[in-house]
Amino acid sequence: MKENAPAKKGLRETIAEMNAMIADKMSKIRFKIPVMSGKGGVGKSFITVNVAVGLASKGKRVAIFDADFHGPSVAKMLNLVDEIPAISSKGIIPVEGPMGVKVISLDMLLEEKDAPTIWRGPLKTNVIRQLLAEVEWGELDYLLIDLPPGTGDEPLSIAQLIPSLTGIIMVTIPSGVSEHVVKKAIVFAEKLKVPIIGIVENMSYFKCPNCGEVYYLLGKGAGERLTKKYGLRLLGKIPLDPYASLSCDEGTPIVLKENCDTSRIILEVVDKLINVVEQAGSDRRV
Ligand SMILES: Nc1ncnc2c1ncn2[C@@H]1O[C@H](COP(=O)(O)OP(=O)(O)O)[C@@H](O)[C@H]1O
Ligand SMILES: [Mg+2]
């Protein structure tokens, strides 16, 4: 060994250093909010994207961390799939989407867009740690974290790596099956002592654009039943809207659409969210 060779850092030292970087970066962000559900396909990514853009339209400084490595959707929903984050001396610079919302998604960092990410738990935790340590978000009001379905490695890593989480937005659809699975996510949050800001019931109903009649296509009431059972807030009920799906495919968030009921309802959810978290301040009791 050369006499003056720098000492090689051990794994533990590297992890401690990264955790300190995460703490520093997170201290510049007022509210850190994961969007979660036990269930897949209920609209977590749709809600993350539209709430983020809605917050930004009200003057908030907002970013999204897409932590769904196996099914990243945020970049697609914001038309950012082909954007490549820049690397500076400060770290990885997020890409900017509509209303200046900053975004980091694995989708943007992979060379092969169509290749599946085949990773086991510890690798996912390390990638989440590294991204949280190295992405230069700057000063933010809100960081929304889009999670994959379930109660696996990603939500667990996020809860452990960001102890200052403000609280979770829990998403369900109105069906009994969704209710059954979302219960597990609620208990998961309780066990990890992460507050739940409230529940959003997505795809609640379909209102016929011609006759105005309301149809409950995916069942009814899961949102209310869950809020009652666990003493939680209902942040809102978002209708099933064909344009909501189309807007995701096109990368143009529906929340920016004018004269649109769905957009108005999402903005009401945004107002409720702002009221709840900004009144609670930094003491985490949401
Ligand atoms: N309220 C809604 N009305 C119509 N389509 C919706 C609605 N919410 C979500 N979608 C669509 O449903 C699909 C699943 O939503 P997504 O946000 O990807 O779910 P998750 O992230 O929970 O897996 C997407 O194609 C999305 O565009
Ligand atoms: Mg998703």
Side-chain angles (χ1 to χ4, degrees), residues 41 43-46 66 68 71-74 77 146-149:
K44 294 177 292 298
S45 304
F46 166 75
D66 182 355
D68 186 348
S73 315
V74 170
M77 290 181 179
D146 189 24
L147 288 171

Side-chain angles (χ1 to χ4, degrees), residues 17-31:
E17 215 170 80
M18 278 204 263
N19 289 349
M21 284 166 77
I22 296 174
D24 176 52
K25 299 228 151 104
M26 292 300 126
S27 71
K28 297 181 186 138
I29 304 173
R30 290 179 70 202
F31 305 109

Side-chain angles (χ1 to χ4, degrees), residues 66-84:
D66 182 355
D68 186 348
F69 295 153
H70 299 291
S73 315
V74 170
K76 169 76 183 157
M77 290 181 179
L78 292 174
N79 198 18
L80 297 172
V81 176
D82 295 323
E83 301 287 326
I84 301 169

